[in-house]
């Protein structure tokens, strides 16, 4: 089976993990939670530092959660997250969503948050997620849609950020506007009983704006994304510096508001 071909745009710089460790099952997987039962066995794909994984483990106390990621280093942080919360029903492993090293019909739920936008073949990834899901189980995915992100007040610098990010993400083999495509990908993958919904993150208070603008200002200059922008010839360091300043300027606006739209799919595998 083909392996991953896309390059993960963000990397795991501190400014990226600052965002990833903020994520919880409540703020990032709410569409799935009503379907969980205490005994379930869950696979959490692209688990990163493990905060959502740990939440899922707490929600299935009689079950088990396996978190997988392509980056071995970030899994050490995930293990520390789980250990710090005293969880014993969770484990972690390196894996590629295009070629999961698990038998057919293994998991009650296969979950992926902000993963399919970064992979080379999301349709194949969904087929593989379906393969390892038990009959009657759930395939769940949630992805941001960059083109649908919106903010106030207007900012030419943030317009430039969005155009540049989408260009770089596609050059890396991903699809930044994944949220709107999840249902289509699921249908092309042959998944049935596809329930498509949407959800948002909104950053509007002074604290939220400072956090969101600060992490993107730092990510623009210091993360793997910054290296891929300059090394790929997409923009100069000077242009990135201007984008970073624009993020900080936006964060200082008292009336500032930013919304991130996500597409969501919850698919039940036929019995």
């Amino acid at each position: 089976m083909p392996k991953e071909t896309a390059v993960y745009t963000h990397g795991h710089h501190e400014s990226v993990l600052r965002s990833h460790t903020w994520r919880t099952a409540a703020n990032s997987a709410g569409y799935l939670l009503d379907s969980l039962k205490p005994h379930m066995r869950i696979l959490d794909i692209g688990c990163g530092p493990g905060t959502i994984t740990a939440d899922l483990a707490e929600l299935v106390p009689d079950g088990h959660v396996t978190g997988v990621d392509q980056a071995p280093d970030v899994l050490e942080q995930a293990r520390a997250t789980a250990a710090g919360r005293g969880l014993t029903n969770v484990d972690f492993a390196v894996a590629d969503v295009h070629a999961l090293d698990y038998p057919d019909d293994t998991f009650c739920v296969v979950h992926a948050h902000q993963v399919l936008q970064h992979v080379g073949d999301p349709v194949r990834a969904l087929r593989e997620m379906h393969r390892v899901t038990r009959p009657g189980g759930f395939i769940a995915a949630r992805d941001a849609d960059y083109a649908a992100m919106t903010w106030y007040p207007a900012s030419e610098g943030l317009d430039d950020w969005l155009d540049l990010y989408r260009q770089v993400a596609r050059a890396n083999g991903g699809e930044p506007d994944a949220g709107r495509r999840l249902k289509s990908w699921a249908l092309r993958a042959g998944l049935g009983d596809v329930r498509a919904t949407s959800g948002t993150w909104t950053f509007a208070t002074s604290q939220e704006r400072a956090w969101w603008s600060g992490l993107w200002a730092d990510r623009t200059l210091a993360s793997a994304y910054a290296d891929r922008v300059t090394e790929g010839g997409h923009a100069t360091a000077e242009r990135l510096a201007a984008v970073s300043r624009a993020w900080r300027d936006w964060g200082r606006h008292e009336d500032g508001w930013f919304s991130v739209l996500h597409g969501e799919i919850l698919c039940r595998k036929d019995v």
Side-chain angles (χ1 to χ4, degrees):
M1 184 174 291
K3 299 287 186 178
E4 177 61 272
T5 56
V7 175
Y8 180 48
T9 297
H10 298 293
H12 293 95
H13 183 265
E14 181 278 330
S15 60
V16 178
L17 295 179
R18 200 185 314 163
S19 170
H20 291 183
T21 55
W22 166 82
R23 298 172 183 175
T24 65
N27 68 28
S28 299
Y31 70 102
L32 168 64
L33 302 188
D34 286 346
S35 299
L36 299 183
K37 306 298 181 187
H39 68 276
M40 283 181 160
R41 185 176 181 187
I42 299 174
L43 179 65
D44 187 23
I45 296 173
C47 67
T51 51
I52 296 175
T53 318
D55 283 353
L56 293 175
E58 291 181 341
L59 292 169
V60 292
D62 302 322
H64 190 88
V65 180
T66 297
V68 297
D69 202 283
Q70 277 207 302
D73 291 347
V74 79
L75 291 177
E76 292 306 310
Q77 184 169 344
R79 291 185 180 100
T81 297
R85 291 165 66 166
L87 296 168
T88 59
N89 63 333
V90 61
D91 70 305
F92 297 93
V94 176
D96 175 2
V97 67
H98 295 93
L100 295 168
D101 191 22
Y102 300 101
D104 295 357
D105 306 338
T106 298
F107 299 96
C108 305
V109 176
V110 179
H111 168 261
H113 184 263
Q114 310 290 22
V115 173
L116 296 181
Q117 64 184 283
H118 296 296
V119 305
D121 191 339
V123 174
R124 182 179 291 276
L126 283 164
R127 289 189 186 123
E128 186 70 348
M129 292 168 66
H130 181 269
R131 180 186 68 79
V132 300
T133 302
R134 294 175 181 173
F138 296 95
I139 301 96
R142 185 177 195 253
D143 271 276
D145 193 299
Y146 276 76
M149 293 185 189
T150 189
W151 56 85
Y152 184 87
S155 165
E156 290 184 2
L158 293 194
D159 289 342
D160 192 33
W161 159 75
L162 183 56
D163 290 344
L164 183 59
Y165 178 84
R166 294 171 73 222
Q167 174 187 333
V168 173
R170 289 190 172 124
N172 287 339
E175 175 47 70
D177 305 340
R180 69 189 65 191
R181 291 172 164 82
L182 291 181
K183 181 180 179 182
S184 175
W185 289 341
L187 294 174
R188 287 167 55 194
L191 276 61
D193 192 16
V194 180
R195 179 183 174 218
T197 56
S198 63
T200 61
W201 293 333
T202 301
F203 306 99
T205 69
S206 58
Q207 185 176 28
E208 290 166 347
R209 291 194 314 273
W211 179 78
W212 184 244
S213 64
L215 69 87
W216 270 108
D218 293 342
R219 189 183 301 191
T220 298
L221 294 180
S223 69
Y225 167 72
D227 295 335
R228 286 163 187 151
V229 169
T230 54
E231 292 170 6
H234 302 286
T236 63
E238 290 76 17
R239 182 178 171 191
L240 286 179
V243 169
S244 179
R245 289 194 297 273
W247 269 111
R248 295 197 186 279
D249 289 344
W250 171 83
R252 286 190 284 267
H253 281 274
E254 183 179 354
D255 58 353
W257 177 91
F258 197 108
S259 183
V260 179
L261 177 70
H262 301 84
E264 303 161 343
I265 52 169
L266 186 63
C267 314
R268 189 157 199 169
K269 185 171 180 176
D270 290 342
V271 177

